[in-house]
Amino acid sequence: MPPGRAITPGLAGIRDEVDVVVVGLGITGAGLALDAAARGLTVLALDAHDLAFGTSRWSSKLVHGGLRYLARGHLAIAHESAVERGILMDVTAPHLVHPLPMLTPVGHDLTRARAAMTWAGLHAGDVLRRTARTSARTLPRPRLLNATEALSLAPSLRADALRGGLLAWDGQLEDDARLVVTVARTAASLGADLRTRARVTAATGTRVAVRDELTGVAYDVRARAVVNATGVWAGGLDEEVRLRPSRGTHLVLRASTLPHTRVAVMVPIPRTSARFAMVLPQPDGTLYVGLTDEAATGPVPDVPVPSEAEVDFLLDVVASAFASPPTRADVVGAYAGLRPLLEVPGTRSTSDLSRRHAILTSDTGLTTVVGGKLTTYRRMAQDTLDALVADGRLDAGPCRTSSLPLLGAAPPDELRRLDADARLVRRFGTDAELVLSTARGVTGLPDDDLLAPASDDVPVTLAELVFAVTDEGAHDVDDLLDRRTRVGLVAADRVVAEPLARRALELVRAARQGARDPRLHRT
Ligand SMILES: Cc1cc2nc3c(=O)[nH]c(=O)nc-3n(C[C@H](O)[C@H](O)[C@H](O)COP(=O)(O)OP(=O)(O)OC[C@H]3O[C@@H](n4cnc5c(N)ncnc54)[C@H](O)[C@@H]3O)c2cc1C
């Protein structure tokens, strides 16, 4: 990456006039920065805390095909979701999104009628896949399994009442925050200036007041368009934007709690007709159990906290499906996120509120884009930039992002052939070698040290932590453990990894004193 094209904590050296200011660097803001930079516009993108500080790191990490929308009759949104899933898996991020088999056990609490309805839904989902032109090689067709086949994929299921299973496929992210960081890094590689620890205190359609949270210094930046992509905090910059956030909670278990679970397991939620709790195996040796949908009232916290009732609810729901159900003692972590749902007059339940994105323009000309989901971030950015170009506020060509691979992207076959550390390939794709060589150059340490996991249970390496500081704008231990990696999801693992994070920060700091590499002088 050429010098200066980076993600930088603080505001030192920013320009006072650009084409587009983007406020917020969750997936929505990162996607906007990428789209605008790819159209050749000058971009300043700002986050009060860090990349992926908000909702974007608290998701289920799924890349959905839109089945849920189909069930509610929202055909256009369902199709849009399926198309975006295909673009992510085939073009822009095949290194970060892989196919996830999802098993609905038949028996237990799934009545024959509900099984038939679920099977019909899975078939409709497959029609969506085909209309979105995603091949069955990328996402196989749904299949009926007998009880033996179902058990071989999830041996911890209760065998006694199991009659079989419904198997379908969707996309799963390596990690939601990693998607944000990769989109952000790709935007930076195209010239966007991305700043963290940069709080916007006021915004109109052509101006932002922004405070450097490291120094306290205030700046004023002019722009031809300002886009508010602050998710659940959007109302803080534009009081006309009214949100009704809903909280979604996940539990984190060790993979060994439900051994050899190779598929996501969908467990019907009692007394609902089409809602399921999910047990989701993760690439890092954990399992997530999710998720709730609770109206969240009151002020929006920086970091939402799961309630005890949500933890009990999730454990209760999944208990019926497993021979040795997880207990409270198995819960090694839990996290909650707030869905930024737009207030729609006349709706009671948050699950009825539209999940589609909305683009709103205030009286001051400030554009807010809110709603949507990780899966559709690219389309949200395209629609927003197209609207600003159509209004004559921006002078730019068409959107390029549907054919623009993110940094490190390559087809799965090519990734499998790479001669590089497997964890780095999973998280950085073809940039795995760049990560290692950067860490080598900065620290002078041998590869064995740079690639050693923090412990048997904690796979994070010094190489990725050093790269996070030099190339991904990580500023402190929290950035490293809670957003560049996700060790922080399990408190005990976080303690184990903390010395490694401190070492990475110290090694880069030492290298910066007297360094010749200009990337080391950024912060
Ligand atoms: C529990 C849960 C599970 C989900 N699961 C999925 C899933 O599996 N798949 C999927 O596709 N989608 C999923 N979603 C939806 C998806 O996560 C969200 O729609 C998406 O992450 C919202 O991103 P965002 O960038 O709009 O907001 P955020 O990620 O919240 O980003 C907003 C950013 O704005 C910054 N900010 C706020 N105020 C200011 C300010 N004044 N100045 C500067 N910066 C500011 C914040 O620090 C934050 O980083 C899920 C959502 C939830 C809640």
Side-chain angles (χ1 to χ4, degrees):
M1 197 184 292
R5 296 192 169 186
I7 303 159
T8 314
L11 289 167
I14 53 161
R15 299 166 64 166
D16 58 10
E17 189 164 1
V18 289
D19 291 325
V20 187
V21 168
V22 176
V23 191
L25 279 167
I27 193 61
T28 308
L32 285 160
L34 174 58
D35 188 314
R39 294 185 202 224
L41 296 165
T42 52
V43 183
L44 176 65
L46 306 161
D47 199 284
H49 301 274
D50 184 26
L51 304 180
F53 181 83
T55 303
S56 299
R57 65 175 155 141
W58 305 126
S59 81
S60 307
K61 306 188 180 181
L62 295 175
V63 172
H64 296 286
L67 197 56
R68 177 182 182 145
Y69 306 117
L70 201 62
R72 290 167 187 270
H74 303 310
L75 211 65
I77 312 179
H79 179 70
E80 178 179 291
S81 217
V83 169
E84 292 304 318
R85 178 183 63 181
I87 290 172
L88 276 161
M89 296 188 77
D90 286 336
V91 185
T92 55
H95 54 325
L96 298 179
V97 187
H98 54 259
L100 174 72
M102 304 182 87
L103 172 72
T104 308
V106 179
H108 308 302
D109 297 333
L110 197 73
T111 60
R112 281 185 196 279
R114 188 158 172 185
M117 208 172 77
T118 307
W119 184 234
L122 297 178
H123 268 283
D126 198 51
V127 173
L128 270 182
R129 171 190 65 76
R130 275 181 275 150
T131 55
R133 297 179 192 284
T134 306
S135 76
R137 209 169 150 243
T138 301
L139 283 172
R141 298 194 173 89
R143 256 185 338 119
L144 283 172
L145 304 181
N146 62 32
T148 313
E149 289 168 323
L151 268 179
S152 75
L153 294 175
S156 305
L157 283 173
R158 252 179 62 195
D160 52 351
L162 193 66
R163 295 200 304 274
L166 317 177
L167 188 69
W169 300 71
D170 219 334
Q172 184 182 37
L173 280 164
E174 162 68 26
D175 173 25
D176 42 18
R178 183 110 307 267
L179 178 70
V180 177
V181 175
T182 309
V183 173
R185 208 157 63 81
T186 309
S189 77
L190 296 174
D193 190 358
L194 277 64
R195 302 298 180 119
T196 62
R197 270 62 179 195
R199 178 175 294 278
V200 172
T201 52
T204 69
T206 53
R207 223 178 186 104
V208 293
V210 54
R211 185 177 65 229
D212 184 324
E213 297 286 73
L214 298 174
T215 61
V217 176
Y219 297 77
D220 199 35
V221 180
R222 278 170 291 136
R224 294 169 63 197
V226 177
V227 186
N228 173 15
T230 55
V232 273
W233 295 277
L237 290 179
D238 179 355
E239 60 185 24
E240 291 163 42
V241 177
R242 297 265 161 80
L243 298 173
R244 251 174 80 187
S246 116
R247 191 176 56 242
T249 286
H250 292 82
L251 313 180
V252 185
L253 315 176
R254 300 263 183 227
S256 54
T257 307
L258 299 171
H260 311 297
T261 303
R262 294 191 285 130
V263 290
V265 178
M266 311 290 289
V267 185
I269 298 180
R271 293 176 293 286
T272 66
S273 59
R275 286 188 59 210
F276 291 84
M278 303 179 285
V279 176
L280 298 162
Q282 300 299 313
D284 64 354
T286 58
L287 291 166
Y288 299 163
V289 179
L291 82 158
T292 57
D293 193 342
E294 293 286 323
T297 48
V300 178
D302 276 357
V303 178
V305 180
S307 71
E308 293 294 309
E310 286 174 297
V311 176
D312 288 339
F313 168 80
L314 289 168
L315 288 173
D316 271 3
V317 172
V318 298
S320 63
F322 293 96
S324 300
T327 65
R328 276 251 169 186
D330 296 314
V331 178
V332 292
Y335 64 86
L338 298 179
R339 300 176 183 85
L341 302 179
L342 261 189
E343 169 103 51
V344 180
T347 39
R348 286 213 307 270
S349 158
T350 51
S351 61
D352 291 333
L353 294 178
S354 171
R355 259 60 171 172
R356 192 168 200 272
H357 61 274
I359 300 166
L360 313 163
T361 306
S362 77
D363 291 344
T364 69
L366 175 66
T367 302
T368 293
V369 54
V370 72
K373 48 195 185 138
L374 287 154
T375 309
T376 52
Y377 81 90
R378 194 207 63 78
R379 181 60 192 267
M380 292 168 73
Q382 175 178 340
D383 289 353
T384 309
L385 270 292
D386 280 355
L388 289 167
V389 171
D391 276 0
R393 310 236 333 250
L394 294 173
D395 182 14
C399 178
R400 288 180 46 213
T401 52
S402 64
S403 56
L404 182 73
L406 300 181
L407 291 181
D413 289 351
E414 197 178 319
L415 294 173
R416 270 191 290 274
R417 284 196 301 271
L418 285 178
D419 181 20
D421 177 77
R423 174 176 165 88
L424 295 187
V425 172
R426 253 186 32 227
R427 298 181 65 78
F428 299 89
T430 56
D431 276 350
E433 188 47 42
L434 172 71
V435 173
L436 183 58
S437 62
T438 301
R440 259 188 226 126
V442 171
T443 66
L445 291 169
D447 290 2
D448 283 354
D449 283 3
L450 293 168
L451 295 175
S455 78
D456 286 349
D457 279 338
V458 184
V460 65
T461 64
L462 188 59
E464 65 199 285
L465 295 172
V466 167
F467 187 75
V469 184
T470 58
D471 284 67
E472 298 181 337
H475 175 68
D476 60 18
V477 167
D478 294 350
D479 291 359
L480 289 171
L481 300 183
D482 298 330
R483 291 168 293 269
R484 299 309 175 282
T485 68
R486 304 311 300 283
V487 191
L489 287 173
V490 177
D493 292 356
R494 197 179 195 286
V495 172
V496 171
E498 201 171 317
L500 208 57
R502 292 199 185 287
R503 190 165 171 221
L505 288 162
E506 178 54 29
L507 284 164
V508 178
R509 194 191 59 75
R512 277 181 179 142
Q513 296 173 343
R516 282 189 300 274
D517 183 342
R519 285 181 309 174
L520 297 175
H521 286 298
R522 278 192 208 124
T523 58

